[in-house]
Amino acid sequence: MGCPRSSAERVCPLTASTEGSVAPAARGLAAEVSRRRTFAVISHPDAGKSTLTEALALHARKISEAGAIHGKAGRKSTVSDWMEMEKARGISVSSTALQFNYRAAGSEVDNVINLVDTPGHSDFSEDTYRVLTAVDAAVMLIDAAKGLEPQTLKLFQVCRHRGIPVITVINKWDRPGRAPLELLDEIEERIGLTPTPLFLPVGIAGDFRGLLRRGPDGAAAEYIHFTRTAGGATIAPEESLTPASAEVREGEPWTTAAEESELLSATGQDHDQELFLAGQTSPVIYASAMLNFGVRQILETLVALAPAPGSRDAVDGTPRAPKDPFSAVVFKVQAGMDTAHRDRLAFMRIVSGEFERGMVVTHAQTGRPFATKYALTVFGRERSTVDTAYPGDVVGLVNATALAPGHTLFVDKKVEFPPIPSFAPEHFAALRAQSAGKYKQFRKAIDQLDSEGVVQVLRNDSRGDASPVLAAVGPMQFEVVTARMQGEFGVETQLDNLAYTIARRTDAASAPELDRQRGVEVFTRSDGAILAVFSDKWRLQYIQKEMPDLTLEPLVAAAD
């Protein structure tokens, strides 16, 4: 990109544009890779993830007005939250992939932004974890009043485990909240990540006037003043002022921000690109996604600092570099996005090589050829056919019934990427169709939701296929199942909660003895894993003590 990156002042100024694009063929694979940024937005529920996603798309001129998942006055619903349940509950329950361009000032080409909006609710941790296998960076969104919350902490640990660099955005600065430095101290104390603000707020939380852009050694370099728009539905106008003019205009709030900036520099909290990529520091931006304050600065930071797509290790430990022949990993399968066609999309993250629509690839898990005639880029529910794509891009393959999360596609020499582990379920329920005449639709729906990873489906001979057991991280996953069963397949279902709370992996030799125990039931999951479920941890501990020869292995969770 031609921008030095060793200090906060060296963030490249960008402006959104879609004009004057250079044809991909004229750039070459290396140039295509270098201009891509693929990241996820992670946080606790209600921190503003979907609202920020809309605001980023607005600044990239992808949409003309930003929405809100709560349907606030003057704002339409978000593009990324498209399910009826999401609109009604005001939460995200499914990850959504959005792609748009954002151009740096003075550049002749656009940066390609692949943004994945993830569910924040802990019940959907498994979906979020899958997304984090497909991105190169993450934006950690923090509520200015609440600070670090439990789900934020959990997802950060996943990022740390996977070596994903994190950019921190302290959101909702237009509302009453905590002091700026207090929030920074909490980040460092609780997760051991050194915050290095690129911008500091001018005005206390609830009185957001603008941003101070930090320069070398913490000196104030610029004041960016924002003007509110009606409902925050359009881009907030910005005015750039010199530090001297800012002091005259804002007085004490500016002086306070300037002093805090110098204090941070004195304690070594200036941006260092190597430390950021190593996961030791995190650039910080204060913003209000609802008002579109600070959103352009977030995009600038992503383009300038977030890493371009790099190598990924295969199962055998061999790195697959972006310049290698085509390969991709499926991280999400979603049906029901197009009510007119009832089709199913498998979202793949391209790891290496150039993708061309219509190319025949090999499905690593089956060894069979797979045609890619119907390939799409997706913006919420809006779709457009994609003819070519490059490492870092997220492409949806239509009606890819053989694909599931964690599967690998490749050409040339075989490569297979590590599978995506399933979380340990803590909630269990038996599901059955209320009408026996709907059994065929019921089976089809269960198979589809299972392959998407909405829930884990468990079966055994005693219960039969008519009443499979659903296993979930959180009970809200069951609500998604019943809502989609009725809405997409016309099947009303009866859900009976089961008194199990913990699961362990076992084997065929141990299964008969376990099945004879009180408070234990053995199932086979759709991926072939044999699971024993227990009424509580004390029952599990008793059996482990009394029958130590039985196989009972913990299931892999997010940070394992």
Side-chain angles (χ1 to χ4, degrees):
M1 292 178 50
C3 296
R5 299 178 180 177
S6 62
S7 74
E9 187 178 31
R10 295 172 181 170
V11 178
C12 303
L14 303 182
T15 181
S17 172
T18 57
E19 299 177 357
S21 296
V22 177
R27 283 188 288 260
L29 180 63
E32 289 294 341
V33 172
S34 69
R35 72 191 190 100
R36 276 162 168 76
R37 301 292 182 271
T38 304
F39 71 99
V41 182
I42 61 171
S43 81
H44 199 78
D46 202 35
K49 290 183 312 303
S50 295
T51 305
L52 176 61
T53 298
E54 294 280 306
L56 293 170
L58 175 69
H59 277 71
R61 317 290 180 180
K62 183 70 176 180
I63 56 177
S64 59
E65 290 187 2
I69 57 175
H70 295 289
K72 293 178 172 59
R75 291 172 68 98
K76 61 185 180 64
S77 62
T78 60
V79 172
S80 58
D81 286 319
W82 51 270
M83 285 186 184
E84 292 304 320
M85 181 177 177
E86 291 177 312
K87 296 175 182 178
R89 300 284 288 270
I91 59 171
S92 297
V93 302
S94 176
S95 54
T96 306
L98 312 175
Q99 186 185 74
F100 51 83
N101 292 345
Y102 194 82
R103 179 172 299 183
S107 174
E108 295 183 355
V109 297
D110 298 334
N111 280 94
V112 179
I113 307 296
N114 292 289
L115 186 163
V116 187
D117 180 38
T118 62
H121 200 287
S122 59
D123 285 11
F124 305 102
S125 298
E126 209 163 4
D127 198 40
T128 301
Y129 182 80
R130 295 186 195 112
V131 168
L132 292 176
T133 67
V135 300
D136 304 309
V139 168
M140 180 171 67
L141 205 58
I142 296 175
D143 188 309
K146 299 175 182 177
L148 285 169
E149 299 176 86
Q151 185 67 359
T152 314
L153 293 169
K154 179 177 181 180
L155 294 174
F156 169 75
Q157 294 302 332
V158 176
C159 291
R160 169 169 281 173
H161 175 69
R162 298 194 61 83
I164 299 172
V166 173
I167 294 169
T168 300
V169 174
I170 297 177
N171 191 30
K172 302 186 180 181
W173 203 256
D174 57 307
R175 305 179 187 181
R178 294 158 63 181
L181 299 189
E182 179 187 350
L183 289 162
L184 299 181
D185 288 342
E186 182 183 30
I187 293 171
E188 187 157 27
E189 291 170 4
R190 297 189 66 185
I191 62 178
L193 191 67
T194 301
T196 56
L198 305 178
F199 301 88
L200 284 174
V202 177
I204 62 172
D207 182 26
F208 193 6
R209 305 183 185 192
L211 289 172
L212 178 153
R213 181 169 66 84
R214 301 182 67 214
D217 302 323
E222 178 188 15
Y223 175 42
I224 305 162
H225 178 264
F226 301 104
T227 300
R228 293 190 179 219
T229 61
T234 55
I235 294 175
E238 297 182 11
E239 181 183 3
S240 176
L241 299 174
T242 65
S245 298
E247 186 174 8
V248 172
R249 178 169 182 166
E250 300 293 354
E252 185 177 347
W254 170 263
T255 302
T256 300
E259 291 174 349
E260 290 177 342
S261 180
E262 293 178 357
L263 177 63
L264 289 170
S265 187
T267 58
Q269 291 177 254
D270 294 324
H271 175 70
D272 181 292
Q273 185 69 2
E274 290 185 5
L275 294 178
F276 162 59
L277 294 177
Q280 298 179 37
T281 66
S282 176
V284 179
I285 304 161
Y286 293 77
S288 167
M290 181 61 68
L291 298 183
N292 284 299
F293 288 11
V295 177
R296 181 178 68 85
Q297 288 69 30
I298 297 171
L299 274 170
E300 290 178 352
T301 301
L302 280 163
V303 169
L305 304 184
S311 298
R312 177 184 291 253
D313 288 342
V315 170
D316 62 4
T318 305
R320 186 80 165 190
K323 63 180 177 59
D324 290 334
F326 171 82
S327 65
V329 60
V330 176
F331 68 92
K332 170 72 178 174
V333 176
Q334 180 71 61
M337 297 180 73
D338 188 339
T339 55
H341 298 95
R342 300 288 186 187
D343 58 5
R344 160 185 162 129
L345 278 178
F347 290 96
M348 67 174 179
R349 150 67 191 256
I350 298 177
V351 176
S352 63
E354 180 178 347
F355 170 80
E356 294 182 353
R357 183 172 63 89
M359 69 190 299
V360 177
V361 301
T362 302
H363 181 203
Q365 278 65 31
T366 63
R368 296 175 181 173
F370 183 90
T372 60
K373 181 179 180 181
Y374 302 105
L376 307 171
T377 55
V378 181
F379 185 79
R381 293 177 78 165
E382 301 173 13
R383 306 157 173 225
S384 57
T385 299
V386 58
D387 291 318
T388 58
Y390 300 90
D393 285 343
V394 174
V395 176
L397 299 176
V398 181
N399 289 332
T401 55
L403 301 182
H407 284 188
T408 300
L409 299 172
F410 69 92
V411 298
D412 202 8
K413 184 179 179 181
K414 181 179 179 179
V415 62
E416 184 174 344
F417 297 111
I420 301 175
S422 297
F423 275 29
E426 299 177 6
H427 301 268
F428 303 85
L431 187 72
R432 56 184 173 83
Q434 290 191 354
S435 170
K438 293 282 189 177
Y439 178 66
K440 184 176 180 180
Q441 295 96 313
F442 175 80
R443 282 291 307 274
K444 181 179 179 181
I446 284 293
D447 289 344
Q448 177 171 298
L449 296 176
D450 183 18
S451 65
E452 289 181 32
V454 176
V455 288
Q456 298 176 39
V457 178
L458 312 180
R459 294 182 171 88
N460 60 25
D461 292 339
S462 62
R463 292 183 181 270
D465 286 340
S467 184
V469 168
L470 308 184
V473 175
M476 202 176 293
Q477 290 177 258
F478 297 149
E479 294 184 42
V480 173
V481 169
T482 55
R484 290 188 60 186
M485 292 282 281
Q486 184 168 3
E488 296 175 29
F489 297 91
V491 180
E492 292 190 17
T493 54
Q494 176 69 41
L495 193 71
D496 299 317
N497 291 319
L498 302 178
Y500 300 121
T501 62
I502 193 167
R504 288 290 185 267
R505 187 189 306 272
T506 187
D507 55 27
S510 303
E513 182 61 41
L514 287 168
D515 223 6
R516 286 192 285 269
Q517 303 302 312
R518 180 174 56 84
V520 184
E521 194 168 354
V522 178
F523 296 92
T524 300
R525 197 167 60 188
S526 57
D527 63 357
I530 302 175
L531 303 185
V533 298
F534 299 81
S535 55
D536 52 53
K537 64 180 181 180
W538 295 280
R539 190 67 189 152
L540 170 62
Q541 291 170 355
Y542 173 80
I543 292 175
Q544 288 177 316
K545 180 181 178 180
E546 296 297 318
M547 306 176 197
D549 293 335
L550 297 180
T551 299
L552 290 170
E553 301 172 348
L555 294 169
V556 177
D560 289 345

